[in-house]
Amino acid sequence: MKKIYNPKKIEPKVQDFWNRTKTFEVDEVPDTDKFYCLTMFPYPSGQLHMGHVRVFTISDVIARYQRMQGKHVLQPMGWDAFGMPAENAAIKRGIPPAKWTYQNISDMRNQLDRIGYGYDWRREVTTCRPEYYRWEQWLFTRLFDKGLVYRKNAIVNWDPVDQTVLANEQVIDGRGWRSDAPVERREIPQWFMKITDYAQELLDGLENLDGWPDSVKSMQRNWIGRSEGIELAFDVEGDRDPLWVYTTRPDTLMGVTYMAVAAEHPLAVEIAAQNPDISNFLQECKKIHAAEAMLETMEKKGMPLGISAIHPITSEKIPLWVANFVLMGYGTGAVMAVPAHDERDWLFAKKYGLPITQVIEATDGTRIDISEEAYVSYGRSVNSDFIDGMEFDEAFEAIADRFEHEGRGRRTINYRLRDWGISRQRYWGTPIPIIYCDKCGSVPVPDDQLPVVLPEKVEFTGVGSPLKDMPEFYEVACPQCGNPANRETDTFDTFVESSWYFSRYASPDCDTAPFDEREAYWMPVDQYTGGIEHAILHLLYSRFYQKIFRDLGLSSADEPFKNLLTQGMVLKDGAKMSKNKGNTVDPQGMIDRYGADTVRLFMMFAAPPEQALEWSDAGVQGAFRFLNRFWKAVQLHVEKGRPTDLVADMLNSAEKDLRRKTHQTIFKVSDDIGRRYTFNTAIAASMELLNAVTRFRHSSDQSLSVEREALNTIVVVLSPIVPHICHELWELLGHDRAVVDEAWPIFDEKALWQETLEIVVQVNGKLRSRIAIAADASKEDVEAEALNDENVRRFIGDRKVKKTIIVPGRLVNIVV
RNA sequence: GCCGGGAUGGCGGAACUGGUAGACGCGCCGGAUUCAAAAUCCGGUUCUGGUAACAGAGUGCGAGUUCGAUUCUCGCUCCCGGCACCA
């Protein structure tokens, strides 16, 4: 009588076993090999989606594998609980954001439990709880004292109808998403963190992140955007201050034919005061969407300011323009334009009929036609006065020396990275712990008044933040002078919460500091897994925070994440799953139908983790079919009775073949899961082994033992991926200990030995034959055997063999 | 626009360090089982020609390096992620 594979029955049973035995609860055990396995925590939207299932499964597989390697594994879970969707739900359905969020968390926790993830739930962190954000506020006041936070004006998208600040995402084609009114740029005072103080260290630190993908390091490097250049002063006509520009190409100085300033530049503002056309242009610039992508793709426009700068070498007049593509926030807010050697300057010059002067020629004599396109490569200076004939480095130094000597220039290192604006004009976030006093200015909230608790019972209208209508929240006494003062009503960017939650997991109950000495045991994270979309912002802010904690003496780790795995998206019909497109697949429905193991198996099998994964219902069925075959194979095997002890020397050739396959599989799967993280190929190898078992015919009393070894192997190596079925089958195979507590198997090198190998024979690089050859055959023997092959001889014909290439154990290539 | 990544059978993917292209799974085709169907099991399956043996072509497109290129180099096309207030 055979038992049928019934995941509905075994999965809750196995999960109950893990809970009862507290399998995944871990404490700090000094001098043990720890492994901190982490995924980017989810936003509690209420619906677990396939993207979540994918990351969490990848991480769970790694955690279970490391556990079987004997590591002390921590795998926590928590909630990135502040954010806009809660406010949107409140507007739409009238549920307070807090209530909505807590309900979602509870729902999602239940969903996660059914997939069998090995979390230590005692360490759950929820960022919208005062116990958590209290330490964020605490840290902010420390940074305030150290001068690492400051307030300045910054531009936001303003919806004039809803009287609300909009996120970039809420601006669609320049209009508010709900009001449809044209969005305006508005400058308001906001808080910033000085991440730029750490720009160089964040850049240098990338060199040591060997466990990170090159693509992510490269993106961060470019984002930080270090450049070496010179700031130069150009005199301006009339009784005006000199105009400073930053350039990385001082070698093109003699090719400057015009200059451009940002719309917010004081010079532009000054001229606009007397010139209505300029004033209109500046007004027009205010309508540009705040996102950089918009700025870069929009039409480049400008207007002459009607005044000129003086070229510092030739003393010629250079017209000054105001242009919509010059950024006030980068460099000095003004640029010298060299249309001959800069693409954007070239297009702008062509558009407005400005002169183009070539001052660089190619060193290899390539002809350059600057009337066709700009020549932007480095080269040799021409028509350039005292730097004529110099190449880039020499010209750079010559200009720098001369201008520094004259006091009108300085060598400067610039970063593209900007300080982190952390103010949000929203309700559902961590209150910024600052009190504004007429007398004392901006006063940080003292420790004994923390946390500043966000009121959770609010009326939410969607017009502005409800905190602005709550005098009981913002009317306070100044902590310094005691006079009536106003509390800040802005909240933190939610990236602040996600920049340090991983440290909090180490000691989530600590109520005297963000974390305690347990942090030193667990940090840094050994394996961090999350979406590639976080390659820059979240991962850079987290690295920044880690350095702050270090510099405050709270942590000894320089970097938060030792190894990083960035997983691809889950697609359906070639597109990202989203409610808008109506192409979502609900994980819950799939688990109800096939069980958690099937969903886990399909997710890991369908693609390697970094790649986008195309969802396929048929593929899921295939995964389910495999688990059924697997289940049946073990049942059938066990019915054959108890095997005798395996004696390797007594095996016949069929038994040796299966045993070789078993040990090859251990080798391959260990490498695939442990090093390569290619779970798809690990599963494929296990499937091959099961296929071999199915085809295997018993031929001696050792056959059952060899078959047993093969099945034991499949159960153990698949247990990180499909832990429930493997738990059950392991028990069925007669083991006392649960498979989750087993050690990872080690392959037997002797079992891999093969007497004859198949070698490929090519003639002129084309496959012509395969020959069987003894594993220890000499090169000469291999060559002779290859030349002797009938098909090979046919292709050589009467042509002469020029040379023979032999790759030992693999191939022979005969060149004629 | 800029930065990063991707493209391989009908489909998801494999080929790890330049050495057998298509492992494994899905789908499809044929067979077994069944009154029949589902499920299951066995066999086949890149394309073209050939009963077959075998031959020719083939990894987005166009060049190049090499005895040999999915893999390296150069130039394109299309798709995806990020671009600082989505998380």
Side-chain angles (χ1 to χ4, degrees):
Chain A
M1 192 183 71
K2 269 177 261 166
K3 276 198 334 194
I4 297 296
Y5 171 52
N6 185 356
K8 273 203 182 90
K9 226 166 135 183
I10 64 174
E11 289 181 356
K13 194 185 111 186
V14 176
Q15 285 162 13
D16 182 57
F17 170 84
W18 295 327
N19 289 335
R20 242 181 23 244
T21 54
K22 302 189 193 308
T23 303
F24 301 110
E25 294 185 6
V26 280
D27 294 310
E28 299 69 30
V29 184
D31 305 320
T32 51
D33 217 357
K34 66 94 186 177
F35 192 90
Y36 185 178
C37 192
L38 183 72
T39 58
M40 293 177 187
F41 65 166
Y43 177 80
S45 60
Q47 279 300 310
L48 196 70
H49 57 72
M50 284 300 177
H52 293 131
V53 176
R54 189 171 187 202
V55 217
F56 299 156
T57 305
I58 290 168
S59 180
D60 196 47
V61 172
I62 296 170
R64 286 169 182 270
Y65 171 80
Q66 290 296 338
R67 201 188 143 84
M68 295 176 85
Q69 293 290 328
K71 303 265 177 70
H72 203 59
V73 176
L74 166 61
Q75 200 185 194
M77 184 43 65
W79 311 98
D80 188 13
F82 278 135
M84 289 204 307
E87 297 194 352
N88 297 339
I91 296 166
K92 215 166 136 191
R93 303 180 224 178
I95 314 163
K99 194 181 166 196
W100 183 82
T101 303
Y102 292 130
Q103 184 59 52
N104 287 347
I105 288 173
S106 152
D107 292 347
M108 288 176 75
R109 199 190 298 113
N110 290 336
Q111 293 181 344
L112 287 180
D113 277 338
R114 291 196 49 195
I115 314 178
Y117 297 130
Y119 297 135
D120 183 353
W121 279 112
R122 299 173 309 165
R123 295 169 184 269
E124 182 178 9
V125 160
T126 305
T127 60
C128 63
R129 298 242 182 232
E131 310 88 84
Y132 181 81
Y133 64 70
R134 167 183 188 172
W135 297 110
E136 206 160 292
Q137 294 172 335
W138 176 90
L139 186 78
F140 179 85
T141 62
R142 292 301 172 285
L143 297 182
F144 182 93
D145 294 341
K146 289 190 80 175
L148 279 168
V149 294
Y150 65 97
R151 203 153 100 117
K152 71 168 183 189
N153 281 345
I155 291 159
V156 293
N157 301 309
W158 178 254
D159 185 322
V161 172
D162 278 353
Q163 295 285 299
T164 302
V165 174
L166 299 178
N168 284 339
E169 169 186 75
Q170 296 172 315
V171 181
I172 296 147
D173 297 329
R175 290 167 179 272
W177 66 327
R178 296 175 67 220
S179 67
D180 204 35
V183 167
E184 296 167 10
R185 275 151 78 92
R186 188 175 266 209
E187 269 201 317
I188 56 170
Q190 306 197 63
W191 288 97
F192 284 80
M193 282 196 195
K194 280 194 185 169
I195 191 172
T196 51
D197 273 15
Y198 286 83
Q200 190 63 48
E201 206 197 333
L202 288 166
L203 181 65
D204 294 340
L206 293 170
E207 301 300 324
N208 302 321
L209 288 174
D210 299 329
W212 280 39
D214 289 337
S215 57
V216 174
K217 287 191 279 190
S218 179
M219 278 191 259
Q220 291 211 352
R221 211 171 276 128
N222 292 328
W223 185 261
I224 294 168
R226 182 193 147 105
S227 67
E228 290 176 16
I230 299 177
E231 281 181 5
L232 299 172
F234 282 66
D235 289 331
V236 181
E237 279 184 327
D239 190 21
R240 291 189 175 87
D241 291 337
L243 181 63
W244 285 86
V245 299
Y246 171 76
T247 178
T248 57
R249 290 297 301 272
D251 60 322
T252 63
L253 178 64
M254 301 302 286
V256 175
T257 56
Y258 63 100
M259 298 177 79
V261 300
E264 296 91 353
H265 196 280
L267 207 52
V269 176
E270 183 205 316
I271 306 279
Q274 303 125 36
N275 183 330
D277 289 342
I278 301 286
S279 179
N280 284 340
F281 182 72
L282 300 198
Q283 277 313 114
E284 203 186 308
C285 287
K286 284 199 170 145
K287 293 201 179 115
I288 305 166
H289 190 305
E292 196 192 79
M294 298 294 167
L295 201 69
E296 288 283 329
T297 47
M298 73 186 174
E299 196 190 345
K300 308 292 182 287
K301 285 185 193 167
M303 280 189 78
L305 285 173
I307 53 168
S308 295
I310 310 297
H311 194 284
I313 308 290
T314 63
S315 300
E316 277 174 23
K317 283 187 171 186
I318 308 163
L320 267 172
W321 285 60
V322 54
N324 62 2
F325 60 85
V326 180
L327 298 172
M328 196 58 217
Y330 183 76
T332 57
V335 296
M336 60 178 224
V338 186
H341 305 292
D342 180 276
E343 201 134 359
R344 192 170 57 188
D345 294 348
W346 188 88
L347 287 169
F348 194 82
K350 280 277 172 184
K351 178 170 179 174
Y352 291 106
L354 292 156
I356 301 174
T357 310
Q358 182 181 347
V359 291
I360 301 288
E361 63 178 17
T363 45
D364 62 3
T366 309
R367 277 185 52 146
I368 297 164
D369 184 1
I370 53 157
S371 63
E372 283 300 313
E373 59 175 347
Y375 179 75
V376 299
S377 310
Y378 287 155
R380 188 185 299 115
S381 292
V382 289
N383 308 321
S384 287
D385 200 270
F386 71 102
I387 58 166
D388 255 354
M390 294 182 186
E391 291 191 25
F392 176 78
D393 290 333
E394 200 185 345
F396 186 106
E397 297 304 323
I399 300 263
D401 286 344
R402 172 150 168 184
F403 277 73
E404 282 185 349
H405 183 73
E406 292 173 359
R408 46 197 290 134
R410 50 184 174 257
R411 290 175 168 85
T412 307
I413 292 168
N414 228 319
Y415 297 91
R416 206 186 72 98
L417 181 69
R418 308 200 292 261
D419 275 336
W420 179 11
I422 50 166
S423 293
R424 296 293 180 269
Q425 295 69 42
R426 289 184 217 298
Y427 154 73
W428 188 236
T430 301
I432 297 177
I434 286 286
I435 290 163
Y436 299 109
C437 171
D438 286 342
K439 232 166 81 188
C440 312
S442 300
V443 181
V445 176
D447 287 0
D448 59 10
Q449 290 176 33
L450 292 178
V452 177
V453 176
L454 181 73
E456 293 192 349
K457 278 189 185 160
V458 290
E459 283 289 315
F460 206 88
T461 58
V463 177
S465 164
L467 296 178
K468 290 203 191 304
D469 304 324
M470 297 175 80
E472 65 275 30
F473 176 78
Y474 65 76
E475 284 182 357
V476 286
C478 170
Q480 266 172 34
C481 69
N483 286 336
N486 283 311
R487 192 188 287 292
E488 170 68 86
T489 53
D490 281 359
T491 52
F492 281 141
D493 176 9
T494 56
F495 275 123
V496 177
E497 279 86 55
S498 57
S499 293
W500 70 286
Y501 72 103
F502 38 89
S503 297
R504 182 73 184 169
Y505 282 134
S507 51
D509 51 358
C510 177
D511 60 2
T512 54
F515 40 80
D516 57 28
E517 69 285 350
R518 289 172 281 175
E519 184 265 359
Y521 179 76
W522 292 113
M523 287 294 286
V525 172
D526 292 279
Q527 181 62 54
Y528 196 34
T529 308
I532 184 68
E533 65 272 22
H534 295 292
I536 295 172
L537 294 180
H538 162 59
L539 289 168
L540 194 63
Y541 293 147
S542 297
R543 295 182 59 218
F544 167 55
Y545 251 60
Q546 186 59 41
K547 292 182 195 309
I548 285 174
F549 280 130
R550 182 201 59 197
D551 289 350
L552 287 171
L554 288 162
S555 174
S556 57
D558 281 328
E559 291 284 345
F561 314 121
K562 213 165 137 190
N563 296 293
L564 176 70
L565 181 60
T566 50
Q567 108 279 2
M569 290 183 309
V570 181
L571 311 177
K572 176 96 199 286
D573 310 321
K576 186 175 175 170
M577 283 192 187
S578 77
K579 278 191 194 129
N580 296 342
K581 294 194 197 90
N583 62 346
T584 55
V585 177
D586 175 27
Q588 202 57 53
M590 286 292 146
I591 291 161
D592 290 344
R593 198 156 153 205
Y594 298 106
D597 280 340
T598 294
V599 175
R600 292 173 64 120
L601 181 67
F602 170 72
M603 277 284 176
M604 295 300 96
F605 182 58
E610 299 89 346
Q611 256 177 59
L613 182 153
E614 176 70 32
W615 181 264
S616 152
D617 289 335
V620 178
Q621 277 189 40
F624 183 65
R625 259 205 300 265
F626 170 75
L627 291 181
N628 274 288
R629 270 203 307 274
F630 182 28
W631 179 267
K632 221 185 286 178
V634 175
Q635 301 283 341
L636 267 169
H637 167 82
V638 170
E639 281 171 18
K640 292 175 192 161
R642 286 178 61 95
T644 55
D645 286 346
L646 194 148
V647 184
D649 294 341
M650 285 173 59
L651 305 185
N652 62 36
S653 97
E655 290 160 354
K656 272 186 188 157
D657 284 347
L658 181 59
R659 184 146 195 270
R660 185 181 316 112
K661 186 92 188 159
T662 298
H663 287 266
Q664 279 170 347
T665 304
I666 296 173
F667 177 80
K668 168 112 183 105
V669 174
S670 303
D671 191 47
D672 285 352
I673 297 185
R675 178 182 66 91
R676 296 210 305 156
Y677 294 152
T678 50
F679 311 108
N680 54 331
T681 53
I683 294 164
S686 306
M687 287 174 165
E688 279 190 60
L689 181 56
L690 186 71
N691 290 343
V693 170
T694 311
R695 279 193 300 268
F696 181 63
R697 295 287 162 257
H698 288 214
S699 50
S700 86
D701 55 1
Q702 284 285 306
S703 292
L704 194 60
S705 316
V706 173
E707 187 175 280
R708 169 70 53 116
E709 188 188 32
L711 287 170
N712 273 337
T713 297
I714 303 172
V715 172
V716 173
V717 301
L718 283 183
S719 73
I721 297 165
V722 283
H724 308 91
I725 189 174
C726 290
H727 177 98
E728 199 70 4
L729 292 178
W730 192 246
E731 206 177 282
L732 188 68
L733 284 163
H735 302 276
D736 296 330
R737 196 158 42 165
V739 71
V740 70
D741 292 322
E742 287 293 343
W744 190 258
I746 295 165
F747 70 93
D748 177 3
E749 210 155 336
K750 279 181 281 186
L752 299 182
W753 174 253
Q754 210 166 350
E755 275 156 33
T756 53
L757 300 172
E758 192 188 71
I759 303 261
V760 164
V761 186
Q762 299 178 334
V763 179
N764 283 349
K766 289 202 180 213
L767 174 74
R768 294 303 177 194
S769 185
R770 293 154 209 271
I771 53 174
I773 209 98
D776 52 1
S778 68
K779 275 197 172 189
E780 291 72 23
D781 291 346
V782 174
E783 188 177 346
E785 192 69 35
L787 287 168
N788 201 30
D789 183 88
E790 193 188 329
N791 207 41
V792 172
R793 284 223 301 262
R794 188 155 68 84
F795 274 92
I796 295 173
D798 10 305
R799 287 176 294 180
K800 244 173 87 183
V801 175
K802 277 196 210 146
K803 68 170 163 177
T804 312
I805 290 136
I806 298 176
V807 182
R810 303 205 75 142
L811 114 173
V812 178
N813 186 14
I814 296 158
V815 186
V816 295

